[in-house]
Amino acid sequence: MTYFNCHSSFQYFQFSKDLKKFFLLVCSAMAVICTSAQEKLADADNDATIRFKNEMVGGVNLHSGGWGLTFRRGWHMTGYKKHLMVFDLVNMRHPKQFKQANPFYDGSKPFFFGKLNYVFILRGGYGRQGIIYSKAERSGVEVRYHYGIGPSLGIAKPVYLDVIVDEAFNNDTLEFIQTRQYDPLDPDQASPESIYAPGPFLKGLGVSKFYPGAWGRLSLSFEYAAWQRKIAAIETGLIVDYFPKTIPIMAFNKNQPAYINFYISFIWGSKY
């Protein structure tokens, strides 16, 4: 707030004694009005904060093992703490997987050689959210912390590949392309040179296998929406998924029962 020195100004303009008293009275009255207005604005802000007892948000996240979608439903415990119901759907990559193409066929499309399953994780659970710094304290950015736990379900969908198969026909050897589930013991899939392209992604969805597990999360978020009813935030943190039965993602590589990933999420939603 800019401070106005009434006495030095009066001396500079050489106002009369009565006029000085008048301006002093006006300054005092304005100070009282300003203080009262600030208190009312603060009360209005507090009322607005309390009025929005619920929030619903969704967004996308990028993590060190892939990407996914998130959805949350929150409701207030107190003015600064919330209960959360959390739902995530993410994919999970193996750190050793990489795409390659068959160097002997110009039309070959990149594929993951040695990948047994595409893995998705469906999470559901409970969490809590608290405010570290409110928007008023941090110039319009609210800093929050989150933690949560819950059950998860790993979904392993088999990988299918378009395999180059040699077949004899009338004393000639012809090449055919067959779509097969990847099998490291199949001699026709023994090397990348025998693969032409990835198979249809949805093929094998009906024979997916399921792996029950659990997850835990710890994170910070920065909420910066300009409107009180809206939510726009960036969240970053650490999340751990654990499966008692290891999910087979890659052949010829060790598959771990736990996935530890750092992530960043972009979240949008509303309060009501």
Side-chain angles (χ1 to χ4, degrees):
M1 178 183 294
T2 303
Y3 178 73
F4 182 73
N5 191 330
C6 294
H7 290 289
S8 60
S9 299
F10 298 153
Q11 291 175 359
Y12 180 80
F13 292 106
Q14 297 182 349
F15 288 149
S16 66
K17 185 176 180 181
D18 292 337
L19 198 56
K20 288 181 183 179
K21 290 182 179 180
F22 172 78
F23 273 96
L24 284 172
L25 182 61
V26 171
C27 289
S28 299
M30 290 185 66
V32 171
I33 293 172
C34 289
T35 302
S36 177
Q38 288 177 346
E39 290 175 351
K40 289 181 179 179
L41 285 173
D43 290 340
D45 288 341
N46 290 335
D47 289 340
T49 301
I50 295 171
R51 190 178 301 123
F52 302 117
K53 295 183 178 181
N54 302 279
E55 67 178 50
M56 190 175 296
V57 299
V60 296
N61 69 67
L62 305 174
H63 61 91
S64 45
W67 65 278
L69 304 173
T70 187
F71 173 81
R72 296 177 191 170
R73 163 76 164 80
W75 63 98
H76 276 279
M77 300 166 56
T78 67
Y80 287 89
K81 293 182 179 179
K82 291 188 182 77
H83 295 287
L84 296 174
M85 292 298 294
V86 182
F87 301 95
D88 293 339
L89 177 62
V90 300
N91 74 326
M92 194 63 61
R93 296 165 50 92
H94 192 282
K96 297 292 186 181
Q97 74 179 52
F98 66 95
K99 279 190 173 182
Q100 56 185 307
N102 192 324
F104 300 105
Y105 292 86
D106 292 337
S108 174
K109 297 180 180 179
F111 54 89
F112 293 110
F113 183 72
K115 188 177 178 74
L116 295 167
N117 292 288
Y118 294 105
V119 174
F120 302 89
I121 298 176
L122 180 62
R123 305 186 188 111
Y126 170 78
R128 288 191 177 184
Q129 171 185 289
I131 297 175
I132 300 175
Y133 298 112
S134 66
K135 285 189 176 183
E137 296 173 291
R138 283 296 180 271
S139 302
V141 177
E142 186 169 275
V143 183
R144 306 171 172 181
Y145 68 86
H146 303 256
Y147 62 88
I149 57 172
S152 60
L153 184 65
I155 306 169
K157 191 204 79 66
V159 171
Y160 280 76
L161 299 172
D162 289 340
V163 183
I164 302 168
V165 180
D166 295 333
E167 292 188 6
F169 184 77
N170 291 337
N171 297 323
D172 291 325
T173 300
L174 301 179
E175 291 183 340
F176 296 90
I177 295 178
Q178 295 182 349
T179 301
R180 299 183 183 179
Q181 181 178 342
Y182 175 69
D183 182 357
L185 301 180
D186 182 358
D188 290 330
Q189 304 180 58
S191 67
E193 289 77 12
S194 61
I195 309 300
Y196 183 75
F201 178 77
L202 296 179
K203 188 173 179 62
L205 189 62
V207 294
S208 299
K209 294 184 178 180
F210 302 94
Y211 297 80
W215 64 272
R217 181 199 331 255
L218 183 63
S219 64
L220 289 175
S221 70
F222 305 88
E223 203 278 301
Y224 57 88
W227 297 274
Q228 291 187 13
R229 290 184 178 272
K230 300 298 182 181
I231 296 173
I234 297 175
E235 180 178 311
T236 182
L238 176 72
I239 190 162
V240 179
D241 293 281
Y242 175 76
F243 298 92
K245 186 177 180 181
T246 302
I247 304 176
I249 301 179
M250 294 289 291
F252 318 119
N253 289 280
K254 186 175 182 180
N255 295 285
Q256 303 290 342
Y259 307 101
I260 303 173
N261 288 293
F262 291 97
Y263 75 93
I264 182 170
S265 294
F266 303 91
I267 295 171
W268 302 272
S270 61
K271 303 174 186 177
Y272 59 95

